[in-house]
Amino acid sequence: VRTGIRQEMISPLSLVLLVALIATSPRTHGLYHDMSETLHYFARTATLRPQLMKFEEIQLPGTIKMALSTMTHFNTSDDKRPGAILVFGEHAREVIGSELALWLARALAGDANTTLLTWPQVVSALREAGLLQLPATPPDSPDTPSSAPPGSSKEHDAATAVAYWSQYILSRLQLYVLPIENPDGRVLLEGGELCRRKTRTGVDLNRNWPYAWQKEPRTEDDTYGGPAPFSEPHARVLRDLAVKVRPKSFINVHSGEWAVYTPWDSRAATAAGLPADLDALVSTMGRLCNCQAGPAGAVSSYLAFGTSMDWFWTQLGTPYPLTLELYGSGSEGKLKAGQANKALGAWPVEAQAGVAPPGAARARGHHLHHHQRVHSKRGRSVQAAGEQAGFGGRSARHHARALREAGLQPAAAVNGSAVPQQRRRLQAGPAVDTSEDKVLSKVKAAPAQVSQCFAFFNPMSEPEYREVVGRWFAILMYTLRHVADPAHPGKPTIQSPGAAAGK
């Protein structure tokens, strides 16, 4: 036996445990996990650790199922913990989000101690977030604060600190994780449509919600929101879960830029009534990612209609509604030297009644509603990214047309003959062994323009992958710690100017 373990010394029980360990351990080669590998982890861990995780598959039309993982301390009697819903993989090509879901679950379940938590990028991000310093009281004590006492300077190792904060979070919150909300789109992506954003039926799930929904006549548009709100079963599953849970936080994870967003998506303003402590939370999150942070429509100069974040805020009053943008090629959304994010209240503050009526996007400019978020998710200049992908540095106003001209319209079949057969190397960086990485193997073999589209949304080198996963892992742990703290009840306080004046 080449492992150095004598065969006759392995008992049947040891063999079972060894197989279980292999089945739930991260690979040592490659970066990305395909959908079956990702969902297998959640299903397997729910079997091995039923006190921490439950797993269910919800049947969608056809043979596709949507996975839902619930994490908390199920062996305690407290059934009144508030919920937090985390959604990943809503857009098929944004694979890095599902990677973050997998690593977050591993850490919360205590499986990541020998891999993720040894990455220097993770340790550095945890240190910046103050998560290596621990309170003196036990994590499951109701009197434990959400941070170490002022003046505390002792640092713990990453494994000890993450174990502490995992216990803190799961003893106070019930996490509902959708690791891949768009499984049918993901199947098509893994089949070769590496630029696919929408579902198999051609609907953008983050435009399929009724609040400020707008009918889009062009079904081929990459932000086509369907024939009607909640036309898609994926959105209905999330809606039903939200109505049942009434979560304290909703976190929708995307990629295409670096950003932390709050409502409104559909207005260039901060939503009135958001809790005051959300301002400090978002400010810290923006500092940790060194990226733009604030109300989505205002910060990005891009209005999105029919989104889940606006619906969660207006229909359920979810106190901590957030959209995270993990990565964009060319550092899209990163703060430049001397830049700083504004406080939420420093933007115009508008209540729900002031939502833009249908058609307002066209009045503000056709590009506000119709452009695809491929090289500028939120409407800024895309010259650098366009040059990188071969689109000639076109502006956001025109790059949707450029995509179609380049044969990258995700709804179209990508079979290798619709676009030039030029091949490309992966982005600069240490070589990645793709022998066990089905996703990157597919990207590496794809035509140049298709693989460049995938690379815009997902880091392609191992150091960059670890930096993105590690940094956003720390940010998510910091955010969940904040939401879990009973000292942050999420009471509405940010008011519009008229409300503040008593009008």
Side-chain angles (χ1 to χ4, degrees):
V1 180
R2 295 182 182 274
T3 60
I5 303 176
R6 294 177 59 189
Q7 188 173 4
E8 62 268 22
M9 295 179 63
I10 302 179
S11 67
L13 177 59
S14 299
L15 184 59
V16 170
L17 293 176
L18 179 61
V19 171
L21 176 63
I22 294 173
T24 58
S25 296
R27 291 192 309 270
T28 56
H29 299 288
L31 301 180
Y32 290 91
H33 304 76
D34 65 20
M35 183 166 70
S36 63
E37 292 172 318
T38 299
L39 300 185
H40 173 77
Y41 171 79
F42 285 92
R44 182 67 175 170
T45 303
T47 300
L48 296 176
R49 296 185 176 87
Q51 75 279 11
L52 286 178
M53 184 184 292
K54 293 181 179 179
F55 179 82
E56 62 178 305
E57 292 182 304
I58 303 163
Q59 185 69 56
L60 300 179
T63 60
I64 298 294
K65 297 179 180 180
M66 183 190 296
L68 170 64
S69 176
T70 307
M71 298 192 71
T72 192
H73 286 159
F74 290 107
N75 56 351
T76 63
S77 59
D78 186 2
D79 59 355
K80 297 181 180 179
R81 296 188 187 100
I85 296 178
L86 291 83
V87 174
F88 305 83
E90 188 169 62
H91 295 145
R93 62 195 176 198
E94 299 167 15
V95 180
I96 188 62
S98 296
E99 294 293 304
L100 178 59
L102 179 60
W103 286 112
L104 176 67
R106 287 190 189 280
L108 291 171
D111 288 337
N113 291 353
T114 60
T115 51
L116 174 75
L117 302 184
T118 64
W119 297 355
Q121 298 91 334
V122 173
V123 176
S124 175
L126 291 171
R127 179 177 292 113
E128 288 181 45
L131 293 174
L132 296 182
Q133 297 170 323
L134 305 178
T137 47
D140 55 356
S141 168
D143 299 324
T144 299
S146 63
S147 60
S152 175
S153 59
K154 180 181 179 181
E155 273 196 0
H156 297 263
D157 62 87
T160 300
V162 168
Y164 183 97
W165 293 121
S166 296
Q167 176 88 349
Y168 182 94
I169 291 165
L170 294 180
S171 64
R172 290 165 174 79
L173 284 178
Q174 190 149 306
L175 306 183
Y176 300 86
V177 180
L178 293 172
I180 302 178
E181 189 200 354
N182 182 6
D184 46 318
R186 179 64 179 264
V187 167
L188 294 175
L189 177 130
E190 293 183 6
E193 295 187 34
L194 297 173
C195 203
R196 172 165 282 273
R197 170 185 171 101
K198 300 185 289 184
T199 64
R200 177 185 59 81
T201 56
V203 175
D204 181 351
L205 293 176
N206 205 29
R207 300 295 186 277
N208 194 230
W209 294 74
Y211 189 77
W213 181 84
Q214 294 194 354
K215 187 172 181 62
E216 169 56 63
R218 300 190 307 166
T219 59
E220 73 276 11
D221 195 282
D222 223 15
T223 55
Y224 173 65
F230 290 136
S231 63
E232 304 311 294
H234 321 62
R236 296 197 297 270
V237 166
L238 180 53
R239 174 201 63 192
D240 294 345
L241 174 66
V243 170
K244 176 183 177 181
V245 172
R246 299 274 170 169
K248 186 177 182 182
S249 180
F250 169 68
I251 303 175
N252 198 358
V253 179
H254 290 272
S255 64
E257 60 180 337
W258 294 76
V260 176
Y261 288 130
T262 64
W264 298 108
D265 260 329
S266 53
R267 291 195 65 76
T270 292
L274 291 170
D277 60 289
L278 181 62
D279 192 17
L281 173 62
V282 169
S283 175
T284 299
M285 295 171 73
R287 174 180 61 80
L288 293 174
C289 68
N290 188 36
C291 66
Q292 58 192 2
V299 171
S300 65
S301 301
Y302 171 90
L303 303 185
F305 298 86
T307 68
S308 53
M309 182 171 69
D310 278 4
W311 185 90
F312 268 79
W313 171 244
T314 59
Q315 304 305 304
L316 299 182
T318 301
Y320 301 98
L322 295 163
T323 296
L324 308 184
E325 298 278 358
L326 306 185
Y327 171 84
S329 178
S331 299
E332 186 73 19
K334 282 284 193 177
L335 295 178
K336 297 179 175 60
Q339 282 188 316
N341 290 308
K342 294 166 60 174
L344 296 182
W347 297 96
V349 180
E350 297 183 7
Q352 178 177 347
V355 68
R362 293 175 180 82
R364 289 172 176 263
H366 184 74
H367 69 289
L368 283 178
H369 182 47
H370 287 297
H371 83 72
Q372 302 176 36
R373 298 186 192 178
V374 172
H375 293 287
S376 178
K377 295 268 303 222
R378 298 276 182 173
R380 290 167 302 280
S381 169
V382 294
Q383 181 173 353
E387 290 173 352
Q388 176 187 358
F391 298 142
R394 298 177 186 237
S395 68
R397 184 186 297 271
H398 299 292
H399 82 278
R401 184 177 64 189
L403 280 173
R404 289 192 292 273
E405 293 171 352
L408 286 178
Q409 178 62 37
V414 179
N415 56 17
S417 61
V419 292
Q421 291 297 316
Q422 178 186 6
R423 304 290 173 173
R424 66 185 276 277
R425 298 177 61 186
L426 298 182
Q427 282 183 249
V432 174
D433 181 355
T434 61
S435 61
E436 295 185 40
D437 192 324
K438 297 176 184 177
V439 176
L440 281 189
S441 295
K442 185 75 68 173
V443 175
K444 187 177 181 180
Q449 292 165 319
V450 179
S451 58
Q452 285 169 352
C453 178
F454 180 90
F456 184 82
F457 296 92
N458 304 283
M460 300 294 286
S461 70
E462 184 171 6
E464 197 170 30
Y465 174 96
R466 290 188 173 193
E467 173 62 25
V468 172
V469 170
R471 186 146 299 276
W472 287 103
F473 165 72
I475 292 171
L476 269 182
M477 291 293 289
Y478 181 91
T479 302
L480 292 173
R481 183 187 76 170
H482 182 99
V483 173
D485 190 346
H488 304 142
K491 293 181 179 179
T493 52
I494 298 178
Q495 300 295 327
S496 63
K503 298 180 181 178

